[in-house]
Amino acid sequence: MFSKLLQALKGIISNYTILMIIAVGIFTLVVDGRRYRQKGYMRELKIVKIISYSYMVIGGLMFILLLMM
């Protein structure tokens, strides 16, 4: 079951897709994070950090899972 899921993901997702997911997380953290910090929106900054780090972690986990196949 898990093997079939990984095979399906491998067919849909490439290394470039994973790099894009991680790049979106970094870009959001750097650009939006800086903008929210300058304006003093600390609650929004925390939300952006959570979302950005989640993107980076999910991208890393997907890369590791696809390397296992």
Side-chain angles (χ1 to χ4, degrees):
M1 174 88 177
F2 186 68
S3 173
K4 289 181 182 182
L5 179 64
L6 284 178
Q7 287 294 337
L9 281 177
K10 193 170 186 176
I12 297 170
I13 298 173
S14 69
N15 289 340
Y16 296 113
T17 307
I18 294 171
L19 286 176
M20 270 315 248
I21 291 170
I22 294 171
V24 166
I26 292 170
F27 182 79
T28 303
L29 183 63
V30 171
V31 174
D32 289 340
R34 185 180 335 142
R35 193 173 301 152
Y36 286 138
R37 185 175 290 123
Q38 288 174 351
K39 291 185 178 184
Y41 298 150
M42 292 301 136
R43 184 177 59 178
E44 287 82 359
L45 177 62
K46 287 181 185 179
I47 293 169
V48 164
K49 282 183 178 181
I50 291 170
I51 292 170
S52 297
Y53 289 135
S54 297
Y55 266 79
M56 289 184 265
V57 168
I58 289 169
L61 288 174
M62 287 170 54
F63 181 73
I64 290 170
L65 283 175
L66 293 180
L67 275 180
M68 293 172 69
M69 291 303 293

